Amino acid sequence: MVSRKIRYFLKKFVRKFLKAYQKRVLPGIFTSTNIELYGYCNRRCYFCFNSNRFPARDAGIMDEGLWKKIIDELSAIQYTGRISPYFYGEPLLDKRIAGLVLYARGKCPYSRILISSNGDMLTEELLVKLIENGMDEMLLTNYDDFEKEQIVNLYKKYPRFIQYRNYKEIDLKNRAGSLFEKSTDKINQPCLKPSKQLVINWKGNVLLCCNDYYEHYIFGNVNNTSVREIWKDNDFRKYREILSQSGGRRQIDICKKCDM
């Protein structure tokens, strides 16, 4: 029987090969996908849109059928990039998470499934279940001023599956200039994030990028249009082209002050 470690490296090798294949077959396709399953968060961090100092957005939960539709469409294009079930909500609040990861792994066997979490809801039982169901890695961020023993112990026990960091170690971004005033020298620099990352919120709306919390730029909804059709949409392509050029940020309102 092939050991788990050997299977891991075989999968990593095949994934690298398939990514190269996908670039030839589908040039210009995104390499990461954020799909917001759960639109709520249990924290109100000052450096996040979930802070009480910002107007609340519409919050809800993605229908399981819609998650499966998106994953099926990624599978149809032999997608091998990153799949992450979050946007600004806390994914581990969603009790369906392990089952939905299992579905994604079955349909997209060579994609990298990454979950970002504050770790408040994480137990060893849940972590093991996510690993068994196909999660590649979990990015845990400690937002407290003290070390949480349970999380640290899980990190030490499962180092291959957990990235652990303290929020003070993060280079905080101003999220399109909306979170806080912060000088930026990037106004004339191209931004390739919208050319590489597909962002879908819990409603199914495809957004310009991961900073578009309030849905200023919507290019379609995956409830009634396929992922591939939306990605090829002329307006979406136009915005990506603008941002890929020097000075392009100046032409788009939410991009003018962004330091990402």
Side-chain angles (χ1 to χ4, degrees):
M1 178 178 287
V2 181
S3 70
R4 177 184 287 182
K5 188 173 183 179
I6 293 175
R7 289 200 305 271
Y8 172 80
F9 285 108
L10 282 174
K11 184 170 71 173
K12 196 171 182 180
F13 173 79
V14 173
R15 182 189 297 157
K16 186 175 181 180
F17 171 81
L18 287 178
K19 276 185 178 179
Y21 169 77
Q22 188 179 49
K23 285 180 180 179
R24 292 196 299 272
V25 176
L26 297 169
I29 200 69
F30 47 91
T31 57
S32 66
T33 310
N34 282 30
I35 310 169
E36 183 178 43
L37 283 171
Y38 208 79
Y40 301 93
C41 187
N42 60 303
R43 287 186 173 258
R44 296 292 178 265
C45 301
Y46 78 92
F47 49 83
C48 178
F49 284 114
N50 287 311
S51 168
N52 290 325
R53 65 194 180 100
F54 293 105
R57 62 163 182 164
D58 293 338
I61 302 170
M62 179 176 282
D63 181 77
E64 184 172 340
L66 181 56
W67 166 266
K68 291 181 176 179
K69 176 182 183 291
I70 296 167
I71 297 299
D72 288 348
E73 290 175 4
L74 294 179
S75 177
I77 62 172
Q78 298 179 299
Y79 180 70
T80 60
R82 174 175 64 82
I83 297 174
S84 293
Y86 62 85
F87 181 38
Y88 283 91
E90 167 52 49
L92 298 191
L93 286 171
D94 192 336
K95 303 301 182 184
R96 309 168 299 170
I97 187 69
L100 299 181
V101 165
L102 180 64
Y103 187 84
R105 174 53 68 218
K107 291 289 184 173
C108 301
Y110 298 107
S111 287
R112 177 171 173 254
I113 300 178
L114 170 70
I115 296 176
S116 181
S117 171
N118 58 38
D120 292 346
M121 310 300 161
L122 186 63
T123 63
E124 183 170 12
E125 180 183 7
L126 176 57
L127 177 63
V128 170
K129 188 68 174 176
L130 287 167
I131 293 170
E132 290 176 344
N133 284 9
M135 180 191 73
D136 290 288
E137 193 170 27
M138 180 175 288
L139 174 58
L140 289 179
T141 304
N142 179 11
Y143 293 107
D144 293 311
D145 291 328
F146 56 89
E147 293 290 356
K148 291 183 281 190
E149 184 178 358
Q150 179 186 5
I151 299 302
V152 172
N153 289 340
L154 287 175
Y155 169 61
K156 291 178 179 179
K157 190 171 181 179
Y158 301 93
R160 187 157 63 83
F161 296 99
I162 293 177
Q163 287 187 54
Y164 179 70
R165 63 183 181 179
N166 187 296
Y167 82 92
K168 294 179 180 179
E169 301 169 348
I170 305 172
D171 178 19
L172 295 176
K173 301 300 182 182
N174 67 18
R175 296 292 177 182
S178 299
L179 290 184
F180 43 79
E181 289 295 328
K182 183 180 178 183
S183 61
T184 176
D185 59 356
K186 293 183 170 58
I187 187 65
N188 291 315
Q189 294 182 14
C191 179
L192 299 179
K193 185 170 283 291
S195 296
K196 297 180 178 181
Q197 182 184 69
L198 182 72
V199 179
I200 306 172
N201 69 10
W202 67 269
K203 301 176 186 178
N205 288 331
V206 175
L207 309 177
L208 179 61
C209 79
C210 59
N211 294 314
D212 195 2
Y213 181 78
Y214 290 113
E215 305 174 286
H216 293 295
Y217 297 89
I218 299 174
F219 297 97
N221 187 289
V222 291
N223 277 288
N224 46 48
T225 310
S226 74
V227 166
R228 191 170 182 180
E229 284 179 288
I230 294 174
W231 185 256
K232 293 171 65 178
D233 175 77
N234 287 334
D235 283 343
F236 202 0
R237 292 169 66 176
K238 180 184 73 175
Y239 274 86
R240 296 199 300 269
E241 184 177 347
I242 289 171
L243 286 168
S244 69
Q245 300 171 1
S246 178
R249 297 175 189 241
R250 295 179 181 273
Q251 300 181 47
I252 301 172
D253 287 341
I254 71 167
C255 303
K256 292 177 180 178
K257 296 181 179 180
C258 187
D259 64 345
M260 188 168 281

